[in-house]
Amino acid sequence: MSATNMTNVPGTEQATDDAVGARPPADLLRWSQDTVRPALRAAVDTLPRPVRDIAAYHLGWLDEHGKATEAATGKAVRPALALLAAEAVGGTPQAAVPSAVAVELAHNFSLLHDDVMDGDVTRRHRPTAWAVFGTAPAILTGDALLTLALDVLAAAGGPAARSMRILAAAVQELVRGQAEDLAFERREEVSLDECRRMAEGKTGALMGCAAALGAVAADGSLEQVRQLRGFGEHLGLAFQFVDDLLGIWGDPAATGKPVYSDLKSRKKTLPVVATLCGSTKQGGSAEPGRALAALYAGERPLSEADLRRAAALIDEAGARDWSQASADDLLRRALGHLRAARPEPRAAAELATLAGLLTRRDH
């Protein structure tokens, strides 16, 4: 069966057809890391010394004393999308390396700032950059990474101006989503539509940007760029649904964050808002939403018993199953955009299997 004839959910089994030589997801992510790492390191090495060391710590290359280490690093999902999108439109992954580096830099800019804004003290199984070096240095490092991302695209030549505008627009959407996320924490009521739109900006925009940048770098047609951006945007929102589940029930050994971490900070994530709005079960009881609202309305820190109860209420409301079902539906839509881009078979297969990995993680 052709890699572009994928219709069922998870729906990615067909995409691993041996006839097109598709690599499994773990190999794809390792390939993405290996392909991008030299150029990413070279770019970070151009930063001024203080922020360079903080960036290298955040990226897992140095410890807090500036000594080389092999700490956990990012999975390079967004770079993989850029590299594979280039292949999908008939180009080479090498053509998209600057785009992959730029989107990874922009992603890490957002993580550095996100950790500060959320007060998170752990990322990738060790203290966050702001917890080690201070708030102001971590913010400056994030700023430096975003500026560097644009510089990498400019230095690549070719469609640099177009690529820079695509990245800038995605970052503006990311900032909008992050600003709305912060605003939701101060509001008693948030609608599910508002929460979904927030997630589209916070996560979907940059994943859509990654796929679009890869297609642009490899001279994809306007329609291919548009469809691959749609693939990435829908995949990004699906990823956020699953990530929100992991923020409640995820294994700390896999997520690098404590269990119930999102509930502890009273974050209004998609399953939380769905429970508060009573939007997951036809004719279901509103009691779980009322009980969760009461927990969230308190001012004292939530105890372990409170956190367990909050998670149970979300499950009782059906928001856990609803979130995974929503992710599955978004995956279907993403694969529809992928097919519409008329991609090269192997790249299509690998993008689809990567999408399956991101939307069916253990939780």
Side-chain angles (χ1 to χ4, degrees):
M1 179 176 291
S2 167
T4 54
N5 291 328
M6 301 165 290
T7 56
N8 57 324
V9 171
T12 55
E13 291 86 352
Q14 298 174 25
T16 58
D17 192 328
D18 289 339
V20 297
R23 294 163 289 184
D27 289 351
L28 284 173
L29 293 177
R30 189 159 43 248
W31 163 75
S32 175
Q33 291 170 334
D34 292 344
T35 301
V36 171
R37 188 183 300 112
L40 181 61
R41 280 184 174 270
V44 171
D45 281 346
T46 67
L47 293 173
R49 179 63 183 270
V51 295
R52 182 176 73 220
D53 287 352
I54 297 173
Y57 171 85
H58 169 76
L59 291 164
W61 305 337
L62 297 179
D63 66 14
E64 64 271 29
H65 306 295
K67 295 181 179 179
T69 187
E70 294 184 1
T73 60
K75 296 181 178 66
V77 168
R78 291 155 190 83
L81 289 175
L83 299 175
L84 290 172
E87 285 194 283
V89 301
T92 66
Q94 287 70 31
V97 167
S99 298
V101 169
V103 79
E104 185 69 355
L105 289 168
H107 173 56
N108 281 281
F109 138 78
S110 73
L111 296 183
L112 282 161
H113 284 201
D114 195 49
D115 286 342
V116 170
M117 289 183 284
D118 290 346
D120 288 338
V121 296
T122 304
R123 179 173 292 281
R124 298 167 184 160
H125 310 287
R126 63 177 187 162
T128 49
W130 76 266
V132 175
F133 301 101
T135 299
I139 291 172
L140 287 172
T141 302
D143 295 342
L145 292 185
L146 179 56
T147 304
L148 183 59
L150 294 170
D151 186 58
V152 166
L153 290 177
R162 183 182 177 194
S163 295
M164 291 171 70
R165 293 198 68 183
I166 290 172
L167 179 61
V171 171
Q172 293 283 22
E173 277 295 287
L174 186 156
V175 169
R176 175 191 61 75
Q178 184 64 57
E180 290 173 351
D181 194 21
L182 289 173
F184 292 169
E185 294 178 14
R186 300 188 297 271
R187 287 171 49 183
E188 290 186 9
E189 294 186 7
V190 175
S191 74
L192 197 51
D193 284 345
E194 287 178 310
C195 192
R196 184 183 175 107
R197 176 165 160 74
M198 175 273 292
E200 287 172 348
K202 187 175 176 181
T203 307
L206 199 56
M207 283 204 179
C209 169
L213 286 178
V216 167
D219 296 323
S221 69
L222 289 175
E223 181 63 10
Q224 286 179 312
V225 172
R226 186 178 75 84
Q227 294 293 350
L228 285 167
R229 187 204 301 269
F231 166 73
E233 288 173 345
H234 282 81
L235 176 58
L237 184 54
F239 177 90
Q240 188 61 58
F241 269 99
V242 177
D243 204 56
D244 284 353
L245 291 176
L246 292 176
I248 301 173
W249 291 283
D251 180 358
T255 66
K257 292 187 176 184
V259 67
Y260 305 139
S261 60
D262 284 352
L263 298 179
K264 190 172 185 178
S265 57
R266 291 181 165 92
K267 288 183 70 68
K268 291 186 174 70
T269 60
L270 286 156
V272 168
V273 172
T275 301
L276 294 173
C277 295
S279 305
T280 61
K281 281 186 176 180
Q282 187 71 28
S285 169
E287 180 53 34
R290 286 195 290 265
L292 183 62
L295 283 173
Y296 262 52
E299 295 185 359
R300 64 175 179 80
L302 296 175
S303 67
E304 285 299 316
D306 291 333
L307 295 172
R308 287 194 296 272
R309 173 152 173 72
L313 289 168
I314 294 168
D315 204 357
E316 181 184 340
R320 187 176 187 174
D321 291 341
W322 170 82
S323 293
Q324 185 62 64
S326 296
D328 290 342
D329 179 63
L330 286 160
L331 175 59
R332 289 188 190 95
R333 294 170 184 265
L335 294 178
H337 282 285
L338 179 59
R339 288 192 297 271
R342 303 183 66 84
E344 294 294 321
R346 193 184 85 154
E350 294 182 340
L351 283 166
T353 54
L354 185 60
L357 172 72
L358 297 180
T359 53
R360 296 297 305 188
R361 291 175 291 170
D362 293 337
H363 54 265

